[in-house]
């Protein structure tokens, strides 16, 4: 798409015309929109309008440092653009309010996803407020059940539904595994066993693409949000009324004295944040490994070594139970080949645009003297770093060794790798996201043989490319791809 610039424009920054086609392109073809307009602007900064809002697009190392490390730039206010909100300047929350909300969310997320709870449930005696009808009794959440074995059992159960052999769409079947795992960690057993509810929670993000147009999706969004709240709230209320509390996340949050509304909001936020990128990345890592047999062999060997070192090799237990016996520390610390492979997958896949909003005083972009005014939005295309040939040699190639000591291409510039967040907004759930990806990958690589095929079942001769214009999920461009699989280890 070609930028429309005024030839008389002399003031900074180059400003695109506020035409509807440009605004639509920012939501429907964002990668192409930013790439083409940077080419036209011939600068590391340009500005355009989304209705009454100004958005400043930046690129380059200095702009990247400002974008990810300036305290005036709000992560949550920035993403209200994507989430369909259009607040006025006076409606912007203060930095203190945002920090309080982020701190509150992170505190409870870390409590649920800490290593002790994942490994053995942890010992946590927490008085739980009861409903008025049951107020004569105080409950305690005692020794919780280990989360990892439960997750492995859930994954295995869903994989068994695929059959012993056949064909699956990884961006549906494998993605669904991540959704189920995240829901299990963030809610309760009863919810994840109700597949009709699970499917309703996997809501359609169509309304997010064009948030200000008066479409049917826009009109239905509030109703859909209310339905989600009501659905999850029912399970929260059921757990509150239960005579015996469980070790599930909802009960842990109730034990902290949180209201139903706070718990439901926390759950929906956790599921959205936890699934969106993790689900896509586990699909792509399986694609990249199959397309690169040497790396598939090396990762598989590393997994087999992990099993041999931490489990009984003479055991007749099924694979998922043996994998669940591996300690969390081993999953986190003893998989260097997998870590590099995952890092490379994120670099190649996660190349959408990040968003911020300036909520305090004007911000000067480091190094070039340009200013972003209070209330203006900012966007930065991750591909500016991840696919930059000045940082990464042959940036479109799959080469996990580029992170080895002696090369370390991701350290050539500040914030050159952005896959897990950087600066003021690192990913709070990184360790758990990695664990989810490792669990699914391990069960798949050790339990199955598979090939990448097309819709006709023919072996694919080329690896599909991520669609960077898909602002929610970087699915493959063009025809869908499938895994033709055969289960070889139970």
């Amino acid at each position: 798409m070609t930028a429309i610039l005024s030839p008389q424009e002399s003031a900074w920054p180059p400003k695109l015309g506020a035409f509807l086609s440009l605004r639509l392109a920012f939501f429907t073809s964002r990668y192409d929109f930013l790439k083409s307009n940077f080419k036209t602007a011939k600068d590391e900064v340009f500005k355009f309008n989304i209705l009454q809002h100004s958005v400043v697009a930046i690129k380059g190392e200095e702009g990247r440092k400002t974008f990810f490390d300036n305290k005036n730039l709000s992560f949550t206010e920035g993403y209200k653009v994507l989430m369909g909100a259009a607040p006025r300047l006076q409606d912007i929350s203060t930095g203190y309010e945002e920090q309080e909300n982020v701190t509150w969310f992170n505190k409870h997320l870390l409590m649920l996803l800490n290593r002790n709870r994942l490994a053995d449930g942890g010992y946590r005696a927490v008085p739980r407020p009861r409903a008025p009808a049951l107020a004569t009794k105080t409950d305690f959440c005692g020794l919780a059940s280990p989360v990892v074995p439960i997750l492995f059992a859930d994954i295995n159960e869903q994989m068994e539904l695929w059959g012993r052999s056949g064909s699956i769409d990884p961006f549906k079947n494998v993605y669904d595994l991540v959704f189920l795992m995240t829901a299990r960690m963030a809610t309760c057993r009863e919810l994840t066993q109700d597949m009709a509810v699970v499917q309703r929670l996997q809501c359609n993000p169509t309304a997010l693409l064009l948030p200000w147009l008066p479409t049917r999706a826009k009109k239905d969004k509030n109703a859909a949000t209310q339905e989600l709240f009501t659905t999850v709230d029912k399970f929260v209320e059921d757990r509150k009324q239960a005579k015996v509390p469980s070790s599930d996340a909802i009960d842990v949050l109730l034990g902290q004295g949180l209201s139903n509304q706070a718990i439901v909001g926390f759950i929906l936020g956790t599921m959205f944040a936890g699934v969106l990128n993790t689900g896509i990345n586990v699909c792509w890592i399986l694609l990249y490994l199959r397309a690169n047999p040497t790396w598939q062999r090396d990762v598989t060997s590393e997994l087999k070594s992990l099993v041999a070192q931490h489990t009984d090799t003479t055991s007749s237990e099924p694979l998922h139970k043996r994998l669940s016996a591996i300690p969390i520390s081993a999953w986190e610390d003893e998989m260097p080949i997998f870590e590099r492979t995952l890092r490379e997958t994120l670099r190649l896949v996660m190349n959408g645009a990040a968003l911020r909003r300036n909520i305090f005083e004007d911000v000067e972009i480091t190094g070039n003297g340009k200013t972003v005014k209070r209330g203006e939005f900012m966007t930065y295309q991750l591909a500016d770093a991840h696919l930059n040939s000045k940082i990464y040699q042959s940036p479109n190639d799959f080469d996990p060794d580029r992170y080895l000591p002696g090369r370390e291409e991701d350290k050539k510039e500040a914030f050159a790798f952005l896959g897990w967040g950087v600066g003021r907004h690192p990913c709070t759930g990184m360790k758990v996201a990695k664990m989810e990806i490792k669990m699914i990958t391990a069960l798949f690589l050790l339990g199955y043989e598979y090939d990448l095929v097309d819709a006709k079942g023919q072996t694919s001769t080329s690896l599909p490319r991520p669609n960077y214009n898909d602002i929610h999920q970087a699915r493959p461009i063009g025809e869908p791809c499938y895994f033709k699989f055969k289960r070889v280890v139970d």
Side-chain angles (χ1 to χ4, degrees):
M1 176 158 189
T2 303
I4 302 177
L5 297 171
S6 168
Q8 287 80 31
E9 183 73 72
S10 58
W12 178 85
K15 190 169 183 177
L16 306 187
F19 292 89
L20 179 61
S21 60
L22 289 175
R23 298 199 297 271
L24 292 178
F26 181 69
F27 290 102
T28 60
S29 304
R30 185 170 298 176
Y31 179 84
D32 292 341
F33 171 84
L34 293 173
K35 183 177 179 179
S36 64
N37 282 303
F38 270 120
K39 184 178 180 179
T40 301
K42 298 179 180 180
D43 196 352
E44 293 191 339
V45 186
F46 71 86
K47 182 185 290 188
F48 58 98
N49 290 334
I50 298 292
L51 295 185
Q52 75 269 35
H53 300 293
S54 291
V55 183
V56 178
I58 62 170
K59 68 175 184 177
E61 183 179 17
E62 296 303 322
R64 186 164 65 243
K65 289 191 290 187
T66 298
F67 185 90
F68 289 103
D69 218 21
N70 190 287
K71 66 180 182 180
N72 294 327
L73 303 180
S74 167
F75 176 93
T76 53
E77 289 294 329
Y79 278 91
K80 285 184 179 180
V81 177
L82 266 179
M83 305 312 294
R88 296 168 299 168
L89 181 59
Q90 57 265 41
D91 294 330
I92 301 174
S93 66
T94 69
Y96 302 107
E97 291 169 342
E98 179 192 7
Q99 185 61 41
E100 182 179 349
N101 292 336
V102 171
T103 301
W104 180 91
F105 183 86
N106 288 345
K107 171 187 173 183
H108 290 91
L109 185 65
L110 291 172
M111 179 185 65
L112 290 179
L113 305 181
N114 70 76
R115 179 184 287 190
N116 288 337
R117 184 170 184 271
L118 294 178
D120 60 21
Y123 291 86
R124 187 175 180 83
V126 180
R128 196 177 87 177
R130 306 298 296 167
L134 303 172
T136 58
K137 180 179 177 182
T138 300
D139 290 322
F140 290 83
C141 299
L143 175 62
S145 301
V147 175
V148 169
I150 293 172
L151 296 178
F152 265 120
D154 287 349
I155 299 169
N156 184 70
E157 182 179 358
Q158 291 301 309
M159 285 182 165
E160 286 181 340
L161 297 177
W162 301 346
R164 303 291 303 179
S165 63
S167 179
I168 60 169
D169 176 358
F171 291 92
K172 174 62 172 70
N173 299 90
V174 176
Y175 185 90
D176 286 352
L177 296 178
V178 177
F179 188 91
L180 188 65
M181 291 174 71
T182 305
R184 187 68 179 86
M185 284 192 288
T187 61
C188 62
R189 176 180 56 84
E190 293 85 354
L191 186 151
T192 54
Q193 288 183 338
D194 190 332
M195 295 311 296
V197 170
V198 172
Q199 290 172 4
R200 286 206 301 273
L201 290 177
Q202 289 181 284
C203 56
N204 187 345
T206 302
L208 306 181
L209 292 175
L210 302 170
W212 295 310
L213 293 184
T215 60
R216 176 73 183 185
K218 166 71 173 178
K219 295 176 182 178
D220 289 346
K221 188 177 178 184
N222 288 339
T225 302
Q226 181 61 45
E227 181 183 2
L228 286 177
F229 180 91
T230 302
T231 298
V232 178
D233 182 64
K234 176 184 178 299
F235 288 93
V236 175
E237 191 61 32
D238 287 347
R239 292 311 313 155
K240 183 184 290 186
Q241 299 292 337
K243 294 182 179 179
V244 179
S246 73
S247 60
D248 290 339
I250 288 178
D251 284 280
V252 175
L253 295 170
L254 285 169
Q256 298 296 307
L258 300 186
S259 67
N260 285 28
Q261 182 175 352
I263 292 173
V264 173
F266 174 83
I267 288 171
L268 295 180
T270 299
M271 291 176 64
F272 179 82
V275 172
L276 198 62
N277 289 324
T278 306
I280 286 298
N281 289 324
V282 72
C283 297
W284 278 107
I285 196 170
L286 291 172
L287 260 71
Y288 285 129
L289 288 174
R290 190 66 196 97
N292 295 272
T294 299
W295 285 104
Q296 182 179 351
R297 180 199 65 207
D298 291 348
V299 170
T300 302
S301 295
E302 186 174 64
L303 288 167
K304 289 180 177 179
S305 177
L306 206 66
V307 173
Q309 292 178 37
H310 297 283
T311 72
D312 181 1
T313 56
T314 64
S315 173
S316 60
E317 285 192 317
L319 177 62
H320 75 278
K321 288 190 175 182
R322 294 178 64 191
L323 290 172
S324 68
I326 298 173
I328 295 289
S329 58
W331 288 105
E332 291 182 349
D333 304 330
E334 299 178 20
M335 299 183 67
I337 298 174
F338 187 94
E339 289 284 350
R340 296 201 307 276
T341 304
L342 177 57
R343 195 171 183 84
E344 183 70 342
T345 299
L346 267 60
R347 184 188 68 82
L348 288 169
V349 173
M350 296 186 65
N351 286 300
L355 296 163
R356 299 287 187 270
R357 194 178 194 185
N358 181 10
I359 60 173
F360 284 131
E361 66 266 21
D362 293 355
V363 170
E364 182 177 317
I365 300 175
T366 306
N368 62 25
K370 309 291 176 62
T371 300
V372 180
K373 297 179 181 179
R374 179 176 182 264
E376 290 186 327
F377 292 89
M378 295 181 69
T379 182
Y380 175 80
Q381 187 84 277
L382 272 60
D384 175 61
H386 286 172
L387 302 181
N388 190 332
S389 60
K390 295 180 180 179
I391 300 174
Y392 296 101
Q393 182 179 354
S394 303
N396 294 312
D397 292 349
F398 183 79
D399 181 11
D401 279 346
R402 66 173 80 246
Y403 307 104
L404 284 173
R407 290 184 64 180
E408 296 177 316
E409 295 177 6
D410 54 329
K411 296 182 180 179
K412 287 183 179 179
E413 290 188 5
F415 301 151
F417 179 79
L418 304 163
W420 296 113
V422 293
R424 301 180 65 82
H425 294 284
C427 176
T428 306
M430 177 185 70
K431 288 188 176 181
V432 173
K434 285 185 178 182
M435 188 66 189
E436 287 185 330
I437 295 172
K438 289 175 179 178
M439 290 170 70
I440 293 175
T441 304
L443 201 51
F444 200 83
L445 290 182
L446 297 179
Y448 294 83
E449 294 176 351
Y450 71 109
D451 285 307
L452 184 61
V453 299
D454 60 22
K456 296 180 180 179
Q458 301 298 312
T459 301
S460 296
T461 58
S462 61
L463 181 69
R465 295 183 296 109
N467 180 6
Y468 298 139
N469 282 319
D470 186 338
I471 64 175
H472 293 288
Q473 300 170 339
R475 294 174 180 268
I477 293 175
E479 294 296 320
C481 59
Y482 301 89
F483 289 161
K484 183 178 180 181
F485 70 90
K486 177 182 178 182
R487 185 142 197 177
V488 293
V489 177
D490 289 319

